[in-house]
Amino acid sequence: MAALLLELPPPPFFNCNHHRFLSSSKTTLHYFPSKIPPPLTFTPTTTYCFLPTVTSSSIPEDEEEDKEEPHSIAVASTIAPDERPQQDRRKVVQIAWEKLVRWSRSWRSKNNKTDHLERTNKVVVLGGGSFGTAMAAHVAYRKSNLEVQILLRDPLLCQSINENHCNCKYFPEHKLPDNVIATTNAKAALLGADYCFHAVPVQFSSSFLEGIAEYVDPGLPFISLSKGLELNTLRMMSQIIPQALGNPYQPFVSLSGPSFALELMNKLPTAMVVASKDKKLAHATQQLLASSLLRISTSRDVTGVEIAGALKNVLAIAAGIVEGMNLGNNSMAALVAQGCTEIRWLATKIWVVSPVLYLTISSPLLILKMGAKPATITGLSGTGDIMLTCFVNLSRNRTVGVRLGSGEKLDDILSSMNQVAEGVSTAGAVIALAQKYNVKMPVLTAVARIIDNELTPKKAVLELMSLPQVIQNLYSVNEVSYGSSKLLSLVYFGSKF
């Protein structure tokens, strides 16, 4: 016999409806409860599993005399366990993947009834910066006969793109597709365009758009690539574009997510979000941009996508300061986590239950901040973009922070850069916005004060570390304005948004 049959009484924890694992270094005991089918389990190297009772008819005659009761029999074996558990795990993974593939094919067959890329003949990109150029190249590669025009102000850069097929200022080593052309003529660029990508820096967008408004078709969809807040008005691009064009119904889409222009030019895969109040427009933009290298999700939370994209630039400066001061990884993680929390405080809806009014009202008071959804802040356009901008050296805003933390002056840093770091101008607007909605944002406020030369990075760190210690749990205590009085209220950041 390959195994020795031993009689053992049922263990004290055993009942007919459950099984348990035991372990041994050399042997494997298999306990056989009556009429229990063998469970499918993930077992370690040596395990105990329970199988149906071995009856007398299945036991050889020379060992049948050692058996007293048919209730249970244990088998001790030194044979190594077979590979069935591992095969079962592989089978589970294979089935899960096959289900995912079937779902993907089914979804595509139902939702890809109209291919907007095939119906698109011309796309115009406003601004020839790094990201605008990268998106122009991406769209041009999607369809070889698509006309992609980049509207520029610099004649020399325009000549470089048309003659050498490269943006010598930002991507001198990358060749642009042949169907990408540049022009300084706004009327010619916008004539007959199906989509317009807006890649002009936020602080210059209003004046630029007002200058070309007469050439813009009222139904031309604008896809905003710009991230930030207008310094004096605190407006986002979803407000700037319609007002500057004089058309409150101008179709608008916001595009955001973890996407460095250089990596897009190198055709490395990533994922982004297109947000629009118009669901059909969001899906059309998705079909225009989505490829094997770029996953595009759709959203209707325009505010969440825009505010996260604006505030992450300021947070990236803070992360750079930590790096420049060599404060370590612990400080970096703590600061970015706090910054994400501050962005959520400002951007999302907040349910407020007043202890004073709790006994007199049946439902909580709802106080709106900027009306974004928490899922947007923790998604691609929020946390995804924040992680990329705060932790990677390619970030312009992080680079500004690193140099500030190393002791350089802001004016010297900005004069040496050939690209705009939106976080520098956005920082002051963010704090003004926080004051408007009565939200405390210690980290982002400290960045604004450093940029305004009111605080040194070292002093800012000391002040942040000396703030009162707080309780970290599901609830946060905030002082909220209600009418003409102040109520100390419990602010719940749970699932009811």
Side-chain angles (χ1 to χ4, degrees), residues 56-67:
S56 59
S57 61
S58 64
I59 301 176
E61 294 180 358
D62 58 346
E63 295 180 359
E64 195 169 349
E65 60 184 8
D66 293 332
K67 182 180 66 66

Side-chain angles (χ1 to χ4, degrees), residues 124 126 151-152 183-191 208 211-212 215:
V124 60
L126 306 181
L151 179 61
L152 304 172
T183 180
T184 57
N185 188 330
K187 182 179 180 179
L190 290 164
L191 182 64
F208 175 81
I212 65 170
Y215 309 123

Side-chain angles (χ1 to χ4, degrees), residues 395-416:
S395 167
R396 302 189 296 268
N397 294 282
R398 185 181 187 275
T399 300
V400 170
V402 171
R403 296 175 66 176
L404 284 172
S406 302
E408 294 187 51
K409 299 296 184 181
L410 181 62
D411 291 340
D412 297 334
I413 297 171
L414 298 180
S415 62
S416 66

Side-chain angles (χ1 to χ4, degrees), residues 61-354:
E61 294 180 358
D62 58 346
E63 295 180 359
E64 195 169 349
E65 60 184 8
D66 293 332
K67 182 180 66 66
E68 292 182 3
E69 297 182 8
H71 177 73
S72 60
I73 297 173
V75 178
S77 174
T78 57
I79 299 176
D82 59 23
E83 296 182 355
R84 182 172 179 179
Q86 184 177 1
Q87 293 175 352
D88 290 342
R89 287 194 294 271
R90 290 177 179 175
K91 187 65 175 178
V92 169
V93 174
Q94 182 181 1
I95 291 173
W97 181 254
E98 289 175 353
K99 287 182 178 179
L100 182 62
V101 171
R102 288 196 299 269
W103 166 82
S104 176
R105 291 173 179 171
S106 175
W107 189 93
R108 289 178 185 275
S109 64
K110 292 179 181 178
N111 292 275
N112 285 357
K113 297 179 180 179
T114 303
D115 192 343
H116 287 272
L117 178 63
E118 292 301 320
R119 298 167 54 185
T120 302
N121 298 312
K122 181 179 180 180
V123 168
V124 60
V125 180
L126 306 181
S130 58
F131 198 68
T133 302
M135 289 308 300
H138 172 75
V139 175
Y141 278 123
R142 293 271 288 138
K143 184 179 176 181
S144 59
N145 61 343
L146 177 66
E147 183 181 353
V148 180
Q149 291 200 17
I150 303 178
L151 179 61
L152 304 172
R153 287 185 173 181
D154 187 351
L156 294 179
L157 183 58
C158 182
Q159 182 180 3
S160 172
I161 292 176
N162 292 333
E163 293 180 359
N164 304 319
H165 295 290
C166 79
N167 188 324
C168 59
K169 186 175 182 181
Y170 299 108
F171 301 112
E173 299 179 359
H174 292 78
K175 185 178 179 180
L176 296 173
D178 293 338
N179 54 332
V180 174
I181 59 177
T183 180
T184 57
N185 188 330
K187 182 179 180 179
L190 290 164
L191 182 64
D194 297 301
Y195 290 91
C196 178
F197 288 85
H198 182 278
V200 179
V202 174
Q203 307 308 323
F204 308 105
S205 292
S206 185
S207 58
F208 175 81
L209 290 171
E210 288 172 358
I212 65 170
E214 60 181 307
Y215 309 123
V216 176
D217 187 278
L220 177 63
F222 268 69
I223 303 173
S224 175
L225 312 180
S226 307
K227 300 176 182 178
L229 299 171
E230 198 171 44
L231 185 57
N232 296 324
T233 64
L234 310 182
R235 293 183 301 175
M236 297 178 291
M237 289 308 304
S238 58
Q239 300 165 314
I240 294 174
I241 290 177
Q243 292 178 19
L245 296 177
N247 178 17
Y249 303 105
Q250 193 77 42
F252 178 85
V253 179
S254 179
L255 175 68
S256 187
S259 52
F260 280 143
L262 178 60
E263 294 190 1
L264 287 175
M265 291 295 290
N266 288 333
K267 299 182 180 180
L268 298 177
T270 188
M272 301 179 73
V273 176
V274 289
S276 177
K277 299 294 185 181
D278 186 339
K279 185 177 180 180
K280 292 182 179 180
L281 178 57
H283 284 293
T285 308
Q286 180 186 48
Q287 291 187 4
L288 176 69
L289 299 177
S291 70
S292 59
L293 297 175
L294 181 59
R295 285 185 56 83
I296 299 291
S297 301
T298 62
S299 172
R300 302 188 70 178
D301 185 11
V302 177
T303 298
V305 170
E306 286 202 280
I307 198 65
L311 271 62
K312 62 95 181 179
N313 286 329
V314 184
L315 182 55
I317 295 176
I321 291 172
V322 170
E323 179 71 19
M325 295 179 67
N326 296 314
L327 297 181
N329 296 321
N330 293 344
S331 295
M332 178 70 75
L335 175 129
V336 173
Q338 172 63 26
C340 290
T341 301
E342 293 179 11
I343 293 174
R344 186 195 67 194
W345 284 345
L346 177 62
T348 60
K349 299 176 182 178
I350 302 178
W351 287 86
V352 182
V353 182
S354 167

Side-chain angles (χ1 to χ4, degrees), residues 300-460:
R300 302 188 70 178
D301 185 11
V302 177
T303 298
V305 170
E306 286 202 280
I307 198 65
L311 271 62
K312 62 95 181 179
N313 286 329
V314 184
L315 182 55
I317 295 176
I321 291 172
V322 170
E323 179 71 19
M325 295 179 67
N326 296 314
L327 297 181
N329 296 321
N330 293 344
S331 295
M332 178 70 75
L335 175 129
V336 173
Q338 172 63 26
C340 290
T341 301
E342 293 179 11
I343 293 174
R344 186 195 67 194
W345 284 345
L346 177 62
T348 60
K349 299 176 182 178
I350 302 178
W351 287 86
V352 182
V353 182
S354 167
V356 178
L357 300 178
Y358 182 75
L359 299 177
T360 62
I361 60 176
S362 58
S363 60
L365 298 176
L366 175 61
I367 292 185
L368 296 179
K369 296 306 179 185
M370 297 196 70
K373 297 179 181 178
T376 304
I377 306 303
T378 58
L380 278 172
S381 58
T383 302
D385 209 3
I386 288 170
M387 289 190 293
L388 182 75
T389 313
C390 289
F391 299 141
V392 182
N393 291 330
L394 289 174
S395 167
R396 302 189 296 268
N397 294 282
R398 185 181 187 275
T399 300
V400 170
V402 171
R403 296 175 66 176
L404 284 172
S406 302
E408 294 187 51
K409 299 296 184 181
L410 181 62
D411 291 340
D412 297 334
I413 297 171
L414 298 180
S415 62
S416 66
M417 298 177 65
N418 66 343
Q419 292 178 293
V420 177
E422 289 280 12
V424 175
S425 54
T426 301
V430 168
I431 305 311
L433 205 60
Q435 293 293 319
K436 175 181 177 180
Y437 289 101
N438 195 25
V439 177
K440 295 177 176 63
M441 309 179 75
V443 168
L444 301 187
T445 302
V447 174
R449 296 188 67 195
I450 292 172
I451 289 174
D452 291 341
N453 203 27
E454 296 178 358
L455 204 62
T456 64
K458 184 176 181 179
K459 181 68 174 176

